[in-house]
């Protein structure tokens, strides 16, 4: 685990990320808060591209909790069966849709606790929805962010909660809104798990990763 980087180094890193990609976006397709919630719930142990393929036609016919319940679990399964753990995810989508109708007037709530009360919605999923839909600077730590945070020293931590706290505590406020997107994209396309592209990395000189590729 790398040592925590100082304020000035982190600011320089995120200045470079910002210059490279001023408005980073999440890669899950959605049309409203509900479809974003469903897409993120489906994305566990699956790629965003795979989820987008599965939901492309689904969200045309089921973009509200009511429409999803009308569609039914078996028909939902037909749409998402290419995604890992699809049967369990289908059950959770149907359950959370019912709860949204019964307890939240069919609307997606915008507190972390309320979101996490829904089946299949953990802290990471809740943080993605809060960040992407309500522009709240929540930090959704996935495997990419965990890896980048620990390799670089941007946000080292023994578990995802520690990394999330490190980002919140050490990230300059003006970068917090987009921080998790910059980190996810950096981990997905540059700081890869098995073959990090250190040679072309824009923060190579600031990174503490000891096993940099030449």
């Amino acid at each position: 685990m790398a040592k925590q980087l100082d304020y000035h180094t982190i600011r320089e890193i995120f200045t470079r990320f910002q210059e490279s990609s001023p408005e980073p976006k999440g890669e899950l397709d959605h049309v409203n808060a509900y479809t974003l919630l469903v897409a993120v719930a489906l994305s566990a142990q699956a790629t965003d591209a795979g989820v987008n393929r599965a939901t492309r036609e689904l969200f045309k016919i089921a973009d509200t909790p009511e429409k999803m319940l009308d569609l039914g679990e078996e028909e939902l399964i037909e749409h998402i069966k290419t995604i890992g753990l699809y049967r369990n995810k289908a059950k959770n989508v149907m359950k959370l849709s019912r709860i949204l109708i019964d307890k939240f007037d069919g609307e997606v709530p915008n507190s972390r606790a309320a979101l996490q009360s829904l089946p299949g919605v953990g802290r990471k999923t809740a943080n993605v929805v809060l960040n992407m839909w309500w522009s709240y600077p929540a930090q959704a730590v996935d495997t990419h962010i965990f890896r980048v945070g620990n390799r670089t020293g941007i946000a080292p931590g023994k578990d995802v909660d520690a990394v999330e706290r490190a980002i919140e505590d050490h990230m300059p406020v003006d970068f917090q809104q987009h921080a998790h997107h910059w980190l996810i994209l950096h981990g997905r396309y540059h700081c890869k798990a098995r073959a990090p592209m250190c040679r072309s990395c824009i923060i190579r000189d600031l990174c503490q990763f000891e096993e940099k590729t030449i």
Side-chain angles (χ1 to χ4, degrees):
M1 183 188 302
K3 293 182 179 179
Q4 175 67 57
L5 293 174
D6 62 46
Y7 173 84
H8 298 290
T9 304
I10 291 176
R11 174 163 285 284
E12 175 60 24
I13 286 172
F14 281 86
T15 296
R16 295 182 190 182
F17 284 158
Q18 186 176 58
E19 290 173 349
S20 176
S21 178
E23 293 288 334
K25 303 294 184 184
E27 297 183 324
L28 285 172
D29 294 338
H30 59 283
V31 297
N32 54 30
Y34 173 72
T35 54
L36 174 60
L37 174 64
V38 171
V40 180
L42 294 176
S43 70
Q45 299 183 46
T47 65
D48 288 359
V51 172
N52 289 341
R53 285 193 295 271
T55 60
R56 186 171 295 118
E57 297 302 319
L58 172 65
F59 290 160
K60 292 179 182 179
I61 58 176
D63 59 356
T64 67
E66 295 83 359
K67 291 178 182 178
M68 190 66 75
L69 292 177
D70 288 343
L71 184 68
E73 186 174 325
E74 290 306 313
E75 187 62 28
L76 172 58
I77 286 174
E78 285 302 306
H79 283 275
I80 68 170
K81 62 184 180 182
T82 56
I83 300 175
L85 306 175
Y86 66 90
R87 290 191 181 279
N88 188 57
K89 290 178 180 178
K91 291 183 183 297
N92 283 335
V93 169
M94 301 309 288
K95 289 178 181 177
L96 72 82
S97 297
R98 171 51 62 190
I99 292 172
L100 289 177
I101 293 171
D102 291 345
K103 294 186 177 181
F104 299 100
D105 298 320
E107 301 293 329
V108 176
N110 62 354
S111 80
R112 186 182 288 117
L115 285 166
Q116 287 188 249
S117 73
L118 301 171
V121 178
R123 186 178 181 89
K124 184 186 76 172
T125 297
N127 281 348
V128 172
V129 175
L130 291 173
N131 182 285
M132 290 182 63
W133 193 256
W134 281 285
S135 298
Y136 178 77
Q139 308 302 328
V141 179
D142 67 353
T143 56
H144 296 301
I145 293 182
F146 186 80
R147 178 175 66 255
V148 173
N150 277 291
R151 274 183 178 174
T152 62
I154 291 171
K158 294 182 178 180
D159 54 38
V160 294
D161 290 339
V163 171
E164 180 181 336
R165 176 58 62 85
I167 296 172
E168 292 175 344
D169 287 350
H170 295 278
M171 186 66 53
V173 169
D174 47 317
F175 293 124
Q176 290 217 9
Q177 178 60 48
H178 295 310
H180 96 274
H181 281 135
W182 280 316
L183 291 170
I184 287 172
L185 295 173
H186 190 65
R188 183 174 292 164
Y189 297 113
H190 297 281
C191 194
K192 301 176 182 179
R194 296 185 179 180
M197 300 168 65
C198 300
R199 184 180 302 176
S200 60
C201 178
I202 64 174
I203 63 167
R204 177 187 175 94
D205 58 314
L206 303 174
C207 173
Q208 293 192 43
F209 186 40
E210 296 179 352
E211 301 174 33
K212 291 188 181 74
T213 55
I214 299 173

